[in-house]
């Protein structure tokens, strides 16, 4: 088999060429290196915990070691007596908040634990905060608290958790959706395949632990923290502390990864801000790695059941996807896993249902590809099983069930180049000629070899966002939006879009971002940041150019006089007559002649409601995986991964390819490695660290190829940008599971796939 | 020993000379850099040597050569820095302030995303770049084993490392090369042969002048914690919140860092790090190569010592099983008294070793693999790299001219409370014809040797089953079976191939 591999391990940068999509002089569409690269490789990029204001106190949270019960006692005296300890904050003396932490705060509010009482609802819940002059003293103070508990039995699984119908899942999606007649579809099927699947609790584990440095000045506060949703968070913090939103300044220039965990408010960060207010001194609070397993969200565990009816022609007659999602005892985030079945395959009857299962755990939250990752991980296996039952090639089976319109609703897709993704991915992988039967391929070393595939899909939202562009007298520009770069490259891609809209080279554009006092950059989540903040920036630039055009075309001495708004092109710092590009005037000249020091434009983003109503909008992709398995030890290695993705307009292929690689590697991790294992007796997570909670190391990463399939979509937004941050996870997980089956003939339906699963069932 | 006693340590930090006294014995390099010196380019991701975000370079004189190694600042103690050169990310750019080749390649090839792991990755790659002029993908992988990237930009990072290797380090592009001679001179000067004693309310720090001095200090302070590489003791502090004072640092003692070829075998000083031992031990026992390169990550191998791995007594330490199978002996010293015992006898029970108060491991002697013997070692872990073993197995057998097993030495880690020989298996094999029948019989005997436990790394059943299967694999390999998944070529291939 190995000779079929393409000899090139690296996907060449030149592999896909793009139209420049440009007015000239633009940098958009180009693989620009990240603008913050220099800061990052020299250690000069500042993350929240790097800040150290004068007079800083260190806060360390004490966290519960039981999953359920109440704190009976804390030895506050001992902790306070320790040299350097300034204060111990407990429910007894915690300053009041203006918003009840047991009440959710819209839009993405969660109930948080900020010492409102002595109840313990999960392991690692904050139960006190020790504030001291040094980190050491605060840490020692925590140890000295020696909490005693009244412990109740922890509810840790299906057998003792509380099941309930989930009215809504994820962040507000309906819990049950049904199209067509499921029973009729199943009855009329030539065959029905069904299976039970499960996905484990996973933790974001961004490299940067959650941190907050807060400094109050009267009723205003400056907060350094990694944050994926600056304005929204600022408003929420303001509500907790009873101050106007504009009194909260969040600075978050760089996030050391977020993956969803830094989009949602959490108790420890509020406590850090609170400690600073209560003590009247700046406070730094940084979570330890272990403390990140509880109060800052995770991907909730799921138990899923899928039933697929197929006809003799290999077409689906019914698709039933049921998912139970673990959630906390006090909040309602249920992983919207089954909704993955609403996006991908055509079927006359589809029913998705969710139940919640209340456990004594921290509330789950969105984690890179929430819903789609866990749901498609199961759906793609189920599709493979159905293909097997039909005696069809997995790709042919998916093509037979290709949804030309959105399943159920029949809405047209705004664009969908999935067929091209299948074609290009399969060709690059060498899928043709794959034996249908499992367990037939071996490599030259005798390892079992298997090939599997999966379809990738993720919605492409466009959130409200705002931006400002200021053209300066020297012809350079300042563009501003409170965006968040958690690694995806916002500092670069957003600047590229701004430069394009202004007709300026990238180096003429100064870009300010990462602060809540800038125009609202919206949420860096849902794979929608470039589409959202980028559109706002682009519109702001467009606004500047429109105003500039007005100045120039109305100026009798301008070479552009009388050209009218429609008649000019902005490029390289000049406006040109469209009908005669030799006639042009520089921006600086236009401003000088108009006697203006600067010209300010603003822009907003938000999806056109008519378009949103009329079309289904998703990014799509196809992932092909090869695994090798040692037949004696059943160790599994992913040896090749090819993904082909169509996600609208690509602003920076270098950044985008990295997002795809990253997503696909998260897929490897989901399929084979990640799992938080809780002790069933205590609810404590036994592997709450980076030694035992396995994320991939370099050597786990196979030869990879990410193909950028061109796609134009004027309906998602004027810029035609979809999203790329999460989709890579979705097809990959199932592709790997299917490859494992193809290598061994063993269907593992529980993630992560373990060696034991493969040994036991031989 | 020297009579001089210093009450401060002296070392170089980037371009400065630092003198420190009165620090706590458990003050970590990372906390000192970030909090005291406000050098915040170095990051804390886990505080236990797993993620590598805290990687810095430490230069020290090894065999008269100034050598820079990547280390985990989060679990390294400041007390271990005497007469070294600590280099942080803030000092890795070119002397003219421009980006160094590794940094530039990381930018150009998009090796940095969120950037939090980046300073550590740059430091690891810089160490590789300085030491290996032509690294292959496998070498890059080895250099990066101790660095996690959650944005998972590994492929671009590997590419960056390969691209940087096209440019040789020289005086214009690297400050460390430019100052090499001067730095070496300073370090030699700083290592003045004096004992160092640091007082602090939490307890005392000793930095002995020599092995003899260590013997004296330890005998007088038998409750002290010996710290060599601190790859385990570091976690007692950062994770276990244990008080470890008084502390005696031994990682700098060059008289415990000797490697000698003796009649009994390779005699390795207890203070020899995995990295320092690599060349000598792999030339004597090439079968250890895979295991050696999968012990922790590069930073851990640069810090951790073989003596520490043994003295620590962990049931899942990776060096004891192969060393026991090879028939290694251990030399312990207390005061001026020395004794030598077979390594396997050192491990008495879980957490208990045959080591008296004030007695320390001085050296381990590793016999060569007998000619014509079959020897293999297997590390089984969930993750390919940077993972603690579920179990570790070492097999050594010699066959007589008739293909019967003449000697068998088999040892496992992770199967019992200590690293332990499989005596029933050995007895069953000795005298038997080395074939499938004997192997099957021996597999059954494993159950008489071990009752492994279940934890999150592996279930008892899995451990037993794999232990049995490893015997199969060993047998197959002695009969010419093909490569293993873990030793096959890297999955990532050379760029441009």
């Amino acid at each position: 088999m190995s000779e079929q591999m393409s000899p090139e391990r690296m996907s060449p940068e030149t592999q896909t060429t793009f139209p420049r999509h440009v007015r000239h002089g633009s940098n958009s569409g180009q693989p620009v290196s990240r603008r913050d690269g220099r800061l990052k490789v020299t250690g000069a990029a500042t993350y929240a915990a790097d800040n150290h204001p004068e007079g800083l106190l260190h806060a360390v949270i004490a966290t519960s070691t039981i999953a359920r019960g109440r704190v009976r006692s804390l030895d506050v005296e001992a902790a306070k007596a320790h040299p350097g300890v300034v204060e111990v904050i407990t429910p007894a003396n915690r300053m009041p908040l203006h918003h009840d932490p047991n009440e959710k705060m819209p839009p993405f509010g969660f109930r948080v634990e900020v010492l409102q009482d002595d109840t313990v609802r999960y392991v690692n819940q904050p139960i006190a905060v020790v504030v001291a002059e040094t980190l050491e003293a605060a840490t020692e103070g925590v140890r000295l608290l020696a909490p005693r508990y009244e412990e109740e039995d922890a509810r840790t699984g299906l057998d003792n958790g509380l099941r309930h119908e989930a009215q809504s899942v994820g962040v507000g999606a309906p819990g049950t959706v049904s199209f067509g007649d499921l029973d009729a579809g199943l009855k009329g099927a030539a065959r029905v395949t069904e299976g039970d699947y499960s996905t484990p609790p996973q933790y974001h584990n961004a490299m940067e632990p959650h941190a907050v440095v807060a400094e109050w000045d009267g009723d205003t506060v400056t907060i350094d923290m990694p944050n994926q949703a600056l304005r929204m968070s600022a408003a929420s913090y303001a509500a907790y502390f009873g101050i106007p939103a504009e009194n909260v300044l969040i600075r978050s220039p760089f996030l050391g990864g977020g993956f969803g965990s830094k989009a949602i408010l959490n108790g420890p960060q509020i406590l850090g801000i609170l400690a600073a207010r209560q003590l009247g001194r700046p406070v730094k609070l940084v979570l330890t790695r272990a403390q990140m397993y509880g109060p800052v969200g995770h991907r909730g565990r799921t138990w899923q059941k899928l039933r697929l009816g197929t006809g003799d022609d290999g077409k689906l007659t019914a698709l039933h996807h049921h998912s139970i999602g673990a959630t906390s005892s006090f909040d309602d985030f249920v992983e919207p896993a089954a909704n993955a079945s609403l996006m991908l395959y055509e079927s006359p009857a589809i029913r998705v249902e969710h139940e919640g299962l209340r456990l004594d755990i921290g509330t789950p939250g969105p984690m890179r590809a929430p819903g789609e990752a866990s749901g498609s991980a199961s759906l793609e296996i189920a599709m493979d099983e159905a293909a097997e039952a039909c005696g069809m090639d997995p790709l042919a089976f998916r093509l037979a069930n290709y949804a030309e319109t959105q399943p159920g609703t029949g809405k047209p897709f705004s664009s969908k180049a999935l067929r091209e993704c299948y074609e290009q991915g399969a060709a690059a992988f060498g899928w043709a000629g794959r034996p249908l039967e499992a367990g037939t391929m071996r490599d030259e070393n005798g390892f079992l070899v298997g090939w599997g595939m999966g379809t990738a899909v993720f919605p492409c939202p466009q959130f409200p966002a705002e931006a400002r562009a200021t053209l300066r007298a020297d012809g350079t520009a300042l563009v501003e939006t409170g965006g968040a770069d958690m690694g995806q490259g916002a500092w670069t891609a957003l600047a590229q879009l701004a430069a394009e809209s202004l007709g300026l080279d990238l180096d003429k554009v100064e870009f300010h971002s990462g602060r809540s006092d800038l125009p609202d950059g919206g949420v860096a989540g849902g794979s929608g940041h470039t589409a959202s903040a980028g559109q706002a920036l682009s519109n702001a630039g467009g606004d500047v150019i429109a105003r500039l055009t007005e100045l120039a075309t109305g100026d009798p001495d301008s070479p552009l006089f009388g050209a009218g708004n429609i008649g000019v092109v902005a490029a390289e710092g000049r406006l040109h007559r469209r009908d005669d590009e030799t006639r042009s005037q520089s921006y600086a000249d236009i401003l000088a002649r108009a006697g203006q020091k600067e010209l300010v434009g603003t822009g907003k983003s938000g999806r056109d409601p008519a378009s949103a109503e009329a079309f289904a909008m998703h990014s799509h992709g196809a992932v092909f995986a090869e695994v090798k398995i040692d037949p004696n030890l059943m160790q599994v290695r992913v040896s090749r991964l090819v993904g082909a993705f169509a996600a609208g307009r690509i602003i920076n292929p270098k950044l985008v390819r990295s997002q795809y690689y990253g997503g696909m590697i998260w897929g490897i991790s989901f399929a084979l490695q990640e799992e938080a294992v809780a002790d069933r007796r205590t609810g404590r997570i036994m592997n709450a660290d980076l030694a035992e909670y396995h994320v991939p190391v370099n050597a786990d990463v196979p030869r990879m190829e990410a193909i950028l399939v061109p796609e134009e979509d004027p309906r998602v937004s004027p810029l035609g940008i979809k999203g790329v941050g999460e989709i890579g996870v979705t097809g990959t997980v199932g592709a790997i599971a299917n490859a494992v089956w193809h290598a061994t003939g063993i269907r593992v339906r529980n993630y992560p796939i373990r060696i034991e699963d493969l040994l036991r069932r031989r | 020993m020297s009579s001089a006693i210093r009450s401060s340590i002296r070392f170089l930090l980037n371009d400065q000379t630092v003198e420190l006294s009165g620090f706590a014995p458990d003050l970590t390099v990372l906390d000192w850099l970030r909090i005291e010196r406000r050098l915040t380019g170095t990051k804390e991701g886990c505080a236990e040597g797993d993620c590598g975000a805290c990687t810095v370079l430490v230069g020290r004189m090894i065999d008269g050569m100034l050598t820079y190694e990547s280390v985990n600042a989060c679990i390294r103690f400041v007390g271990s820095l005497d007469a070294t050169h600590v280099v942080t990310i803030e000092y890795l750019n070119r002397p003219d302030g421009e980006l160094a080749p590794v940094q530039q390649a990381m930018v150009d090839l998009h090796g940095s995303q969120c950037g939090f792991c980046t300073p550590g990755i740059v430091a690891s790659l810089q160490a590789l770049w300085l030491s290996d002029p032509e690294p292959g993908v496998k070498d890059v992988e080895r250099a990066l084993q101790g660095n996690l990237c959650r944005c998972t930009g590994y492929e671009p990072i590997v590419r960056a490392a390969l691209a940087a290797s096209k440019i040789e380090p020289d005086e214009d592009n690297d400050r460390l090369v430019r100052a090499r001679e001067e730095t070496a001179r300073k370090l030699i000067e700083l290592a003045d042969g004096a004992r160092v004693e640091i007082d602090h309310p939490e307890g005392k720090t000793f930095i002995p002048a020599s092995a003899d001095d260590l013997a004296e200090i330890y005998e007088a302070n038998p409750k002290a914690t010996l710290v060599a590489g601190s790859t385990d003791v570091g976690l007692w502090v950062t994770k276990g919140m244990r008080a470890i004072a008084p502390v005696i640092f031994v990682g700098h003692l060059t008289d415990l860092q000797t490697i000698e070829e003796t009649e009994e075998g390779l005699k390795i000083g207890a203070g020899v790090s995995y990295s320092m031992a690599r060349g000598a031990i792999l030339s004597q026992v090439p079968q250890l190569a895979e295991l050696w390169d999968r012990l922790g990550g590069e930073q851990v191998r640069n810090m951790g010592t073989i003596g520490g791995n043994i003295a620590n007594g962990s049931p899942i330490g990776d060096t004891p099983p192969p060393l026991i199978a090879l028939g290694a002996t251990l030399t312990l010293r207390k005061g001026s008294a020395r004794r030598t015992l077979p390594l396997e006898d050192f491990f008495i029970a879980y957490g208990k070793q045959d080591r008296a108060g004030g007695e320390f491991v001085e050296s381990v002697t590793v016999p060569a693999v007998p000619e014509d013997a079959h020897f293999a070692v297997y590390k089984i872990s969930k993750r390919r790299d940077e993972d603690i073993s579920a179990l570790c197995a070492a097999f050594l057998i010699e066959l007589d001219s008739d293909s019967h097993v003449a000697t068998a030495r088999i040892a496992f880690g992770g199967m019992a409370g200590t690293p332990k020989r499989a005596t029933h298996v050995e007895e069953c094999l000795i005298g038997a014809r080395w074939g499938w029948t004997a192997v099957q019989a021996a597999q059954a005997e494993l159950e008489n040797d071990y009752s492994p436990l279940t934890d999150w790394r592996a279930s008892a059943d899995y451990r037993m089953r794999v232990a049995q299967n490893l015997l199969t694999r060993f047998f197959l390999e002695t009969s010419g079976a093909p490569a293993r998944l873990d030793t096959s070529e890297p999955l990532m291939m050379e760029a441009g191939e």
Side-chain angles (χ1 to χ4, degrees), chain B residues 57-279:
Chain B
L57 301 187
V58 172
R60 57 174 174 154
M61 303 302 294
I62 300 179
D63 294 335
M65 280 278 291
L66 172 57
T67 306
Y68 288 94
E69 295 173 307
S70 56
V71 307
N72 292 123
C74 69
I75 51 170
R76 177 130 181 184
F77 299 115
V78 167
S80 72
L81 295 179
D82 195 44
T84 65
H85 183 198
V86 179
V87 184
T88 68
I89 185 71
E90 287 86 355
Y91 197 64
L92 288 180
N93 46 357
R94 290 162 50 115
D96 61 8
E98 291 304 305
L99 294 184
V102 166
Q103 293 171 319
Q104 190 64 54
M106 282 285 285
V107 174
D108 292 345
L109 294 166
H110 205 67
S112 174
Q113 295 183 58
C114 85
F116 200 78
C117 70
T118 303
I121 284 176
V122 169
S124 287
L125 293 184
Q126 187 87 359
L128 176 74
W129 179 68
L130 286 170
S131 62
D132 186 345
E134 270 181 277
V137 169
K138 235 178 170 167
D139 304 305
V140 176
E141 282 189 351
R142 196 169 64 229
L144 288 173
Q145 277 172 332
N147 292 87
L148 298 177
C149 167
R150 184 59 157 163
C151 304
T152 53
Y154 293 120
E155 174 170 319
I157 294 167
V158 173
R159 263 202 256 195
L162 296 174
S165 72
K166 307 287 182 259
I167 302 167
E168 270 181 50
D170 61 32
E171 297 201 343
D172 291 327
N173 64 22
D174 187 74
R175 286 169 160 158
L176 305 183
V177 172
R178 176 176 280 202
R180 179 170 281 280
E181 279 176 29
E182 199 194 336
T183 308
R185 186 181 53 72
K186 281 184 189 164
L187 293 187
I188 290 166
E189 211 175 277
L190 293 176
D192 61 359
R195 179 199 288 187
V196 182
E197 293 186 12
I198 309 278
D199 288 311
H200 183 272
E202 271 181 36
K204 198 159 179 151
T205 295
F206 294 95
I207 305 169
S210 62
D212 289 341
D213 194 28
L214 162 65
E216 187 181 314
I217 296 171
Y218 198 25
E219 208 172 18
N221 298 275
K223 294 254 162 76
T225 307
L226 293 189
V227 176
S230 69
T231 57
D232 197 39
V233 179
L235 274 69
W236 299 0
V237 171
T238 61
K239 204 172 184 188
M241 305 291 160
R242 272 164 68 178
I244 57 169
V247 168
I248 307 173
F249 287 98
V250 301
H252 63 292
L253 294 173
T254 49
D255 43 2
L256 289 181
Q257 290 170 356
T258 54
I259 302 176
E260 281 175 70
E261 287 189 32
T262 68
E263 270 182 28
E264 291 77 33
L266 202 62
K267 186 176 171 192
I268 303 170
V272 174
S273 68
Y274 301 112
S275 298
M276 290 165 76
R278 187 171 185 265

Side-chain angles (χ1 to χ4, degrees), chain A residues 360-378:
Chain A
D360 297 309
I361 56 174
T363 307
M367 173 163 152
R368 199 174 195 176
E372 285 75 14
S374 306
S376 84
S378 308

Side-chain angles (χ1 to χ4, degrees), chain A residues 304-497:
Chain A
Q304 302 174 43
K305 185 185 275 294
L306 275 139
R307 287 193 293 167
L308 276 61
T310 40
D312 284 326
D313 53 0
K315 287 187 188 298
L316 289 170
T317 59
L319 170 54
H320 183 202
H321 195 159
H322 177 272
S323 178
I324 304 171
T327 190
S328 66
S329 64
F330 56 94
D331 213 335
D332 302 307
F333 189 94
V334 172
E335 190 73 16
N339 289 351
S341 288
L342 294 172
M343 290 177 216
L344 270 179
Y345 302 112
E346 185 57 45
S347 171
I350 301 177
R351 181 171 174 83
V352 303
E353 299 154 334
H354 293 89
E355 284 181 70
L357 180 75
R358 297 208 179 281
L359 301 177
D360 297 309
I361 56 174
T363 307
M367 173 163 152
R368 199 174 195 176
E372 285 75 14
S374 306
S376 84
S378 308
L379 173 62
E380 291 303 319
I381 301 180
M383 287 295 284
D384 240 48
E385 294 183 74
E388 184 194 351
C390 295
M392 287 175 75
D393 172 79
L395 176 55
F397 181 71
R398 284 167 177 81
L399 283 167
N401 290 289
Y402 195 88
E404 301 292 352
T405 57
Q406 189 180 41
T409 67
K411 260 192 204 180
F413 290 105
S414 61
S415 64
K416 182 176 178 179
L418 176 57
R419 205 167 255 122
E420 291 82 348
C421 295
Y422 284 140
E423 278 167 16
Q424 294 183 26
F429 183 85
W431 180 263
R434 169 188 174 277
L436 269 189
E437 210 181 316
T440 61
M441 299 201 299
R442 295 247 175 173
D443 78 353
E444 63 280 6
N445 290 317
F447 299 132
L448 309 173
V449 177
W451 290 357
M453 55 98 44
T455 310
V457 66
F458 200 76
C460 48
Q462 188 190 3
F463 302 115
E466 296 171 8
R468 182 165 57 225
T470 307
L471 184 66
R472 299 185 285 215
D474 62 357
T476 65
L478 168 67
V479 295
E480 300 165 287
T481 190
D485 195 334
M486 47 205 180
Q488 82 277 32
W491 279 114
T492 310
L494 294 181
Q496 284 178 270
L497 284 167

Side-chain angles (χ1 to χ4, degrees), chain A residues 47 50 654 658 689 692, chain B residues 43 108 110 113-114 239 457:
Chain A
Y47 299 79
D50 300 341
K654 195 184 262 194
S658 264
D689 56 52
E692 309 280 2
Chain B
K43 306 301 182 199
D108 292 345
H110 205 67
Q113 295 183 58
C114 85
K239 204 172 184 188
R457 279 181 210 119

Side-chain angles (χ1 to χ4, degrees), chain B residues 311-361:
Chain B
N312 182 297
S314 165
I316 46 171
D318 277 330
T319 58
L323 297 185
I324 289 172
L326 289 165
T329 56
L330 201 60
T331 299
L332 295 148
R333 175 174 177 187
K334 180 178 160 73
S336 56
R338 288 180 173 83
R339 64 189 174 107
T340 296
L341 73 166
L343 176 58
E344 64 217 70
D345 293 346
F346 179 68
F347 303 107
I348 299 169
Y350 179 74
K352 187 159 189 252
Q353 296 87 42
D354 181 5
R355 189 163 70 87
E359 189 176 41
F360 63 91
V361 174

Side-chain angles (χ1 to χ4, degrees), chain A residues 139-447:
Chain A
T139 306
E140 179 65 5
V142 165
R143 197 184 65 81
L144 291 168
L145 286 174
R148 287 167 178 274
Y149 301 97
E150 265 175 38
E151 189 171 357
E152 291 176 66
D153 290 341
R155 294 163 298 191
T156 57
L158 269 182
D159 52 343
N160 54 8
L162 216 63
R163 270 169 83 159
H164 64 285
E165 196 187 324
Q167 300 293 341
S168 95
V169 293
V171 281
T176 302
V177 180
S178 195
F179 298 106
D181 187 337
L182 186 75
D183 290 338
L186 289 169
K187 265 194 205 119
R191 59 192 68 78
V192 174
T193 49
E194 61 177 281
D196 291 306
Y197 307 83
S198 69
T199 65
Q202 299 174 351
Y203 284 76
H204 305 78
N205 272 309
M207 292 309 299
E208 177 201 24
H210 291 67
V212 59
V213 177
E215 185 169 16
W216 287 83
D217 179 6
D219 264 353
T220 67
V221 62
T222 302
I223 304 169
D224 295 301
M225 69 178 345
N227 193 298
Q228 295 176 236
L230 292 160
R231 271 296 187 91
M232 199 170 80
S233 300
S236 302
Y237 289 127
Y240 276 108
F241 292 98
I243 55 176
E246 60 271 23
N247 285 17
V248 177
L249 169 61
I250 300 178
R251 299 186 295 201
S252 182
F254 303 105
L255 292 84
F259 314 113
S261 74
K262 290 164 181 169
I264 309 282
L265 253 56
N266 59 71
Q269 285 178 323
I270 295 172
L271 286 170
I273 300 164
L274 180 147
R277 172 143 240 207
Q278 187 161 337
L279 297 172
R281 282 175 66 180
V283 165
K284 182 189 296 192
L285 189 154
V286 185
L287 294 191
T288 65
R289 179 60 54 182
Q291 288 173 336
M292 292 167 72
Y293 292 74
V296 294
H298 68 281
R299 194 196 300 283
R301 190 173 173 190
T302 70
W303 296 264
Q304 302 174 43
K305 185 185 275 294
L306 275 139
R307 287 193 293 167
L308 276 61
T310 40
D312 284 326
D313 53 0
K315 287 187 188 298
L316 289 170
T317 59
L319 170 54
H320 183 202
H321 195 159
H322 177 272
S323 178
I324 304 171
T327 190
S328 66
S329 64
F330 56 94
D331 213 335
D332 302 307
F333 189 94
V334 172
E335 190 73 16
N339 289 351
S341 288
L342 294 172
M343 290 177 216
L344 270 179
Y345 302 112
E346 185 57 45
S347 171
I350 301 177
R351 181 171 174 83
V352 303
E353 299 154 334
H354 293 89
E355 284 181 70
L357 180 75
R358 297 208 179 281
L359 301 177
D360 297 309
I361 56 174
T363 307
M367 173 163 152
R368 199 174 195 176
E372 285 75 14
S374 306
S376 84
S378 308
L379 173 62
E380 291 303 319
I381 301 180
M383 287 295 284
D384 240 48
E385 294 183 74
E388 184 194 351
C390 295
M392 287 175 75
D393 172 79
L395 176 55
F397 181 71
R398 284 167 177 81
L399 283 167
N401 290 289
Y402 195 88
E404 301 292 352
T405 57
Q406 189 180 41
T409 67
K411 260 192 204 180
F413 290 105
S414 61
S415 64
K416 182 176 178 179
L418 176 57
R419 205 167 255 122
E420 291 82 348
C421 295
Y422 284 140
E423 278 167 16
Q424 294 183 26
F429 183 85
W431 180 263
R434 169 188 174 277
L436 269 189
E437 210 181 316
T440 61
M441 299 201 299
R442 295 247 175 173
D443 78 353
E444 63 280 6
N445 290 317
F447 299 132

